[in-house]
Amino acid sequence: MTHPFLDLAPLSAARFASIEDRVARLLSTEQDVVIMQGEALLPLEGAIRAAAGPGTTALNIVTGPYGQTFGDWLRDCGATVIDLAVPFHTAVTAAQVRQAFAEHPEIDFVSLVHAEAATGNTNPVAEIGAAVREQGALFYLDAVASVGAEPVLPDAWGVDLCVIGAQKAMGGPAGVSAVSVSERAWARMAANPRAPRRSYLSLLDWKERWVDGGRTALLHAPAQLEMLALEACVERIETAGLDTVMARHRCAAAATRAGALALGGGLEPYVYEAAEAAPVATTLRAPSGVTASELVADALAADPALPLAAGGGALAKEMIRVNHYGADATRASVEACLAALGGALARKGASVDVGAARLAAAEAWR
């Protein structure tokens, strides 16, 4: 008995390298791109541990839970960490970054999340990148949620370490991820005696044994099915056009925001300003007296496949996430989520207008 998933020829080094090249084109980067064989937390942690150490002074920008995690990793590496935290319903500004530099001119590493799907905000990376370049610091960016939903341009923005994953806006697999690495970042890693070596976390292993070796021999057996899924995912984006894919996510975000406001019942956007709201997912604030996780559970009871979730941790009480990314970045999906939330609110006695929500969403989809 044969099976198309199980009886494949081994993935060659040349095929692996060709997928890396396609990811590089997706990012419009001339930097080295390494596809790591695990979910995006692998290169996110690996890049920090490779580039930061006891001599590092890091500006860690916190606009959501992943920023908090990066600060923990940086401290664990022995770095001196200066947290720049802003409320989760907003975005950081380049002026705030420049102020941090003015107060701490010793900063030589900056960590930032582009879009926080967990909180629904997005940060102005181009402007922040300009501020980081003025300081000469190394710039580390988590673009896992933003890639495919909005522009991600490591070279143009001066990003030295840019980590992406395919499982959100790209509509691809979760089991592999990628990082683009500048020459400055490679040099920082090579000079760091604490950088992981002979480790699954090690970027330097990939540099020395894969990149410098002409990409002819893989370090270990690749996650073949995940790699093929990533290749298919990138091919689908290439066929549709990246601008088209990003436009679909922008429309989904605008439609969700407009529809939620028109729905009534006390539901409102969690991120106050539309310009600071991420196109990958829209977060909503539950009405006063309503627990978000209970509202979401009620909405999902009729259709568990809807891309709805409550916020994580303490945010479960107040935040609702509409995860309109990938295959769910459609007008039908947005309208179904709004109708389900409207029904759940109505069952709690709220006055809602699902028809008005659908109309507002349709008008915003452009």
Side-chain angles (χ1 to χ4, degrees):
M1 179 180 178
T2 62
H3 193 287
F5 289 164
L6 301 178
D7 301 304
L8 296 167
L11 191 73
S12 68
R15 182 82 169 271
F16 193 105
S18 74
I19 299 171
E20 287 183 334
D21 291 341
R22 293 173 85 162
V23 171
R25 288 195 293 272
L26 184 71
L27 299 175
S28 299
T29 184
E30 297 296 322
Q31 297 178 3
D32 292 324
V33 169
V34 175
I35 298 178
M36 298 191 76
Q37 303 297 282
E39 198 271 338
L41 281 173
L42 176 63
L44 285 170
E45 181 175 359
I48 281 181
R49 294 195 181 278
T56 303
T57 300
L59 176 64
N60 180 51
I61 300 169
V62 182
T63 60
Y66 279 98
Q68 293 172 328
T69 297
F70 300 160
D72 292 340
W73 286 339
L74 286 161
R75 290 182 178 90
D76 190 50
C77 289
T80 299
V81 180
I82 298 153
D83 286 322
L84 171 55
V86 301
F88 289 179
H89 60 256
T90 187
V92 74
T93 67
Q96 290 171 307
V97 173
R98 286 192 172 92
Q99 181 61 36
F101 285 146
E103 296 172 1
H104 302 278
E106 69 275 19
I107 290 169
D108 61 359
F109 183 97
V110 176
S111 53
L112 174 70
V113 178
H114 187 183
E116 287 265 13
T119 51
N121 56 29
T122 192
N123 292 299
V125 183
E127 290 91 339
I128 292 169
V132 174
R133 284 197 299 276
E134 292 167 8
Q135 180 74 6
L138 204 73
F139 192 12
Y140 163 101
L141 183 70
D142 171 357
V144 174
S146 55
V147 65
E150 54 188 307
V152 175
L153 301 167
D155 293 10
W157 296 342
V159 178
D160 295 288
L161 292 158
C162 181
V163 177
I164 68 166
Q167 68 267 35
K168 288 187 167 66
M170 288 177 66
V176 289
S177 47
V179 53
S180 67
V181 187
S182 73
E183 289 300 322
R184 290 200 322 148
W186 285 131
R188 178 78 70 96
M189 293 179 203
N192 180 9
R194 288 195 171 193
R197 301 271 190 155
R198 296 169 296 281
S199 164
Y200 208 58
L201 282 171
S202 178
L203 279 167
L204 283 175
D205 286 356
W206 283 95
K207 166 67 170 170
E208 294 169 0
R209 297 170 55 191
W210 172 247
V211 177
D212 291 349
R215 298 192 299 176
T216 58
L218 289 161
L219 276 65
H220 48 72
Q224 172 146 310
L225 295 179
E226 297 281 356
M227 288 295 296
L228 294 175
L230 176 61
E231 181 182 52
C233 159
V234 174
E235 182 174 356
R236 186 164 59 184
I237 293 172
E238 291 170 345
T239 300
L242 180 58
D243 287 345
T244 298
V245 175
M246 292 191 294
R248 191 159 47 85
H249 285 83
R250 285 197 304 271
C251 287
T256 303
R257 191 177 185 91
L261 288 169
L263 180 64
L267 205 62
E268 60 184 29
Y270 186 85
V271 178
Y272 295 166
E273 300 294 332
E276 297 176 345
V280 67
T282 297
T283 49
L284 303 170
R285 193 177 300 274
S288 177
V290 175
T291 300
S293 57
E294 294 176 0
L295 190 70
V296 168
D298 188 356
L300 289 174
D303 186 356
L306 289 175
L308 289 171
L315 295 175
K317 294 182 179 180
E318 61 179 345
M319 181 190 288
I320 299 155
R321 287 171 50 191
V322 184
N323 295 318
H324 46 65
Y325 52 70
D328 290 313
T330 66
R331 179 175 155 187
S333 179
V334 168
E335 292 185 3
C337 288
L338 292 169
L341 289 171
L345 284 168
R347 287 187 286 276
K348 290 188 176 294
S351 176
V352 298
D353 190 338
V354 173
R358 290 182 183 275
L359 181 61
E363 290 178 347
W365 192 281
R366 61 181 186 276

